[in-house]
Every structure is written in structure tokens, then in C-alpha cells.
């Protein structure tokens, strides 16, 4: 591993830091008002676009910044350090749909959609998973029949994040039921206002409805919306998923390191109460109780915080190593699954620790409560992100699937 930043890269860091500190919104949008979140994210994206910071990894010819991997790393570090808001409702357009169009779309599709995504005009969603096809995505059964210049789509998708506030969907459909499982699939741009689409939000334990079930009843989509060739959608989809498992997660990993720093601050100012001191019914327990004033005074909490800090440093080194190797070879590293697995489990441990620090306060959580300021999460926002952290080991490939990939491609274990 060799990470040395050049003078130009250091200058880029200073410029990015100054711009983010001056321009990143300070307040966060209401978590469960999706229309407000959509408007907030689109406005923030427009601001990034106007300043030349939208599509940091997108090629310049498509309006992006064309940043090198090192610059991307620097950008995400500064983004997380400032506590800048991640426009999560725009994730699919910016990190899946757009990059897939760049890789596999035709000129008409690129010139129509890419500027809209980058400027913050539209929201995209992803219609891949089905009730019978998640980890085994190749088993999808939503079918599309060619009828003249249209595809006629019938079936169901599930867990479609932001379907109810999206204009477009990257949709996987089976166009040749006779072909082997991974053949006969097509990748289609589906306009979400097409006739025959019904969207039913799913309520989560966090109180929100970020994702939905989507039903298609003979929905007509122009054949011109197929990206790549008809029946070649698996290849197109794999290019999308490689983006999802690649640099798109860099920002989240960097953000976790910032979060651990905030957690240490939280422990420093939270009166002890989450964890009962050991031996609290004895005389030495009484002495212990009088010594323990904040959560940070608790040896067990302090030990877990130190471990979390060491683990985010390990994560940072793994990420640097992977970025450094990819920058040298130009080939995405097979370690991505290893980093993803370590990151998602660490994210859950860090949020579990936050709950132990906050103790009984977490019971006051209200799904509709405020999330506060960007750089000082409230107890409310710690609980919300704790509830959300359960999904970290499911979304974008479950932890078991990541383990399968590690066993297969890194360790070379027999199947
Ligand atoms: C927050 C969130 C947002 C999401 N957003 C979207 C979205 O916008 N669009 C979309 O299309 N999908 C989305 N998903 C769905 C996600 O892609 C799937 O949940 C994921 O692929 C797992 O599929 P599944 O839920 O069908 O679980 P299953 O595949 O049924 O898995 C069930 C269990 O079996 C295990 N398992 C399955 N196969 C194997 C195997 N071969 N070896 C070992 N263990 C195995 C899994 O690890 C899991 O524990 C989202 C999910 C979450 C949590």
C-alpha cells in the first residue's frame, strides 16, 4: 500500500473542505417526510452541480468531475468530516442508473437522462428484488412481452427504495422465459407514472416507509427504453451492481470513522446509566458507582469505544489499500466484499454501543422526532440510525452472500 497525497491533491482537499464548510446545509431534512426529503436532496444536489462537485466519479464528458480514485477518497473524507448530508434519495440515479447508462446506454438515453440525474432534476429507484428473487436475483419472474414497439410488463417487485417519489426506475424483467436463468433478462428504464403501476409503501420498524412493493399490470414501456440489448440485461445489471459494491460505499465508510468520534463525545457528556457497574451490590460497587459519572468513565464502555476506534482505523487502512491497488491496476479489487462485510458488521456494533451509552434515554425515541444538526447527532438520530443499521447486513448483498464471495474468490475454498 502506498498512500501519499500529491501537492495538487492536497490543494483539492483544501478547496473541497472550504467549499463544504461554507455550503453544506446545516439542518437535516425531516426523516419521514419523503416529499420534503426529496426536495431537500434535489436542492442540495443542484448546489453541488452548480459548484462542479456533482458526479464526482462520473467522466467529464458526461458532466461529472472525472475525479481520480485518490480525489474521490479525499472528497468523501471531507464530505464526511464536515457532516455533509448524503442525498440518499438520489443514490440509485447517481450510483447505479447513471453509471449504468454511461457504461451500457445508447447516445439518446445518455443525453436525455444523465444531465437530469446530475443536475438534481429527478429521482430514480431500483426494481431488482422480488418476493422470490433477492440474493438469487437471476430467479426473477416479472415478465415482459414484446408487443410492437412496446414491452408489456406484468409482475411484482419488492423493497424498492423511494419508488413513491421517483420519476424513473431501473427495472429488470424476464423477456425470454425459455432461456437459461441468467439469460433472457432485460434492463429497462421504466417511467414510474406509466399506466398499470401500483405502489404500496412498506412500513419499517424505524417508523418510516422508505421502500415499497411495486405491482405491474400490463404496463407498456417503449422498447427504446431497453438498455443494452434485449435479453442481455444480466450483463447490464452486473455492471450496476459492481458500482454499488465499489466506490459508492467509500463515503459511508469514511462517515463511520466520524461517527465513532461523535460517539466518544456522546459518552463524554452522557451521565452514566446505560450499563450497570459490575459488583454494584457490594461495598466496592458503591465506590465504583461514585467514580462513574459519565458513560466514558465506565471501563467496559471505554474498552468498546477504544476497540471501535481501532476497528475504524483498520477499516480505513483496508479501504486505502484497496483504493491504492485499484488506482495502480485499474481493476476493482476482490477485497470489496471483505471491506463491505467488515464495514456492515462494524456499523451494527457501533450503533449497538450508542444504545448502551444512551441507556434508558433511547426509550424516549419518537419516530417523528427531529434529527438535529448535521455535526451533532441527537439521541433521536442515534436511535433512528441504530434501527436502520439492521439493514446494513442485508442491502446490496447480504452478509452471507459476502462471505460466499470471500470464500470463493479470495480464499479459493471449494464449493
Ligand atoms: C434497506 C434496504 C433497501 C433495499 N432497497 C432495494 C431497492 O431499492 N431495490 C431492490 O431491488 N432491492 C432492494 N433491497 C433488497 C435487497 O437487495 C435484498 O433484501 C437482498 O438482496 C436480500 O434478498 P432477500 O431479502 O430476498 O433475502 P433472501 O435472498 O431470501 O435471503 C434470506 C436469508 O438467506 C440467506 N441466503 C440466501 N442465499 C444464500 C446463499 N446462497 N448462501 C448463504 N446464505 C444465503 C441470506 O443471507 C438471508 O439471511 C433493499 C434491502 C434493504 C434492506
Amino acid at each position: 500500500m502506498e498512500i501519499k497525497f500529491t501537492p495538487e491533491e492536497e490543494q483539492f482537499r483544501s478547496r473541497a473542505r472550504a467549499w463544504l464548510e461554507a455550503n453544506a446545509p446545516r439542518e437535516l431534512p425531516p426523516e419521514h417526510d419523503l416529499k420534503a426529503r426529496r426536495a431537500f436532496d434535489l436542492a442540495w444536489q443542484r448546489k453541488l452541480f452548480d459548484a462542479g462537485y456533482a458526479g464526482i466519479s462520473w467522466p467529464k464528458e458526461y458532466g461529472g468531475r472525472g475525479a481520480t480514485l485518490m480525489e474521490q477518497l479525499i472528497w468523501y473524507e471531507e464530505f464526511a468530516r464536515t457532516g455533509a448530508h448524503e442525498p440518499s434519495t438520489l443514490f440509485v440515479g447517481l450510483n447505479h442508473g447513471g453509471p449504468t447508462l454511461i457504461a451500457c446506454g445508447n447516445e439518446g438515453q445518455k443525453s436525455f437522462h444523465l444531465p437530469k440525474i446530475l443536475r438534481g432534476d429527478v429521482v430514480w429507484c431500483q426494481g431488482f428484488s422480488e418476493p422470490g428473487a433477492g440474493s438469487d436475483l437471476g430467479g426473477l419472474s416479472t415478465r415482459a412481452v414484446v408487443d410492437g414497439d412496446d414491452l408489456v410488463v406484468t409482475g411484482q417487485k419488492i423493497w424498492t427504495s423511494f419508488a413513491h417519489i421517483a420519476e424513473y426506475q431501473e427495472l429488470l424483467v424476464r423477456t425470454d422465459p425459455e432461456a437459461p436463468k441468467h439469460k433472457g433478462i432485460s434492463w429497462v428504464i421504466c417511467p414510474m407514472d406509466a399506466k398499470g403501476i401500483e405502489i404500496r409503501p412498506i412500513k419499517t420498524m424505524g417508523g418510516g416507509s422508505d421502500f415499497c412493493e411495486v405491482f405491474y399490470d400490463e404496463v407498456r414501456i417503449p422498447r427504446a427504453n431497453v438498455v443494452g440489448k434485449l435479453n442481455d440485461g444480466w450483463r447490464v445489471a452486473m455492471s450496476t451492481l459492481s458500482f454499488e459494491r465499489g466506490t459508492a460505499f467509500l463515503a459511508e465508510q469514511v462517515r463511520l470513522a466520524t461517527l465513532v468520534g461523535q460517539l466518544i463525545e456522546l459518552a463524554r457528556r452522557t451521565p452514566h446509566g446505560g450499563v450497570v457497574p459490575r459488583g454494584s451490590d457490594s461495598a466496592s460497587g458503591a465506590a465504583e458507582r461514585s467514580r462513574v459519572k459519565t458513560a466514558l468513565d465506565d471501563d467496559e464502555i471505554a474498552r468498546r469505544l477504544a476497540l471501535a476506534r481501532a476497528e475504524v482505523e483498520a477499516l480505513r487502512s483496508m479501504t486505502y489499500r484497496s483504493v491504492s491497488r485499484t488506482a495502480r491496476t485499474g481493476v476493482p479489487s476482490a477485497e470489496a466484499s471483505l471491506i463491505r462485510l467488515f464495514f456492515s458488521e462494524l456499523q451494527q456494533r457501533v450503533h449497538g454501543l450508542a444504545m448502551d451509552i444512551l441507556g434508558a434515554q433511547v426509550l424516549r425515541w419518537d419516530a417523528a422526532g427531529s434529527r438535529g444538526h448535521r455535526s451533532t447527532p441527537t439521541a433521536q438520530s442515534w436511535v433512528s440510525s441504530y434501527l436502520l443499521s439492521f439493514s446494513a447486513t442485508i442491502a446490496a448483498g447480504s452478509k452471507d452472500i459476502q462471505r460466499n464471495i470471500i470464500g470463493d474468490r479470495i480464499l479459493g475454498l471449494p464449493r
Side-chain angles (χ1 to χ4, degrees), residues 318 321-323 325 332-340 406 410:
M318 282 158 74
R321 192 168 87 142
S322 169
V323 169
R325 184 177 299 177
S333 128
E335 291 156 337
S337 284
L338 217 145
I339 296 177
R340 172 83 198 133
I406 293 164
I410 301 181

Side-chain angles (χ1 to χ4, degrees), residues 126-129 134-135 159-161 211 391 394-395 398 400-401 404:
Q126 182 188 62
F128 282 17
S129 307
S135 303
W159 317 124
T160 315
S161 303
F211 45 40
S391 68
I394 305 171
S398 75
D400 305 307
I401 297 301
N404 284 350

Side-chain angles (χ1 to χ4, degrees), residues 27 39 41 50 52 59 67-68 110 134 213 219 234 271 295 305 311 314 338:
E27 297 304 320
D41 285 359
D50 288 342
T68 62
K110 287 179 191 173
E213 292 176 290
V219 176
W234 188 254
L305 281 168
E311 286 183 317
L338 217 145

Side-chain angles (χ1 to χ4, degrees), residues 95-96 100 126 128 134-135 137 170 172 187 234-249 396-397:
N95 296 307
H96 299 232
T100 305
Q126 182 188 62
F128 282 17
S135 303
L137 188 56
E170 47 177 27
L172 283 184
W187 197 107
W234 188 254
R235 186 184 62 81
V236 178
M238 287 307 106
S239 76
T240 313
L241 287 184
S242 69
F243 283 112
E244 183 171 26
R245 290 179 184 148
T247 56
F249 278 113

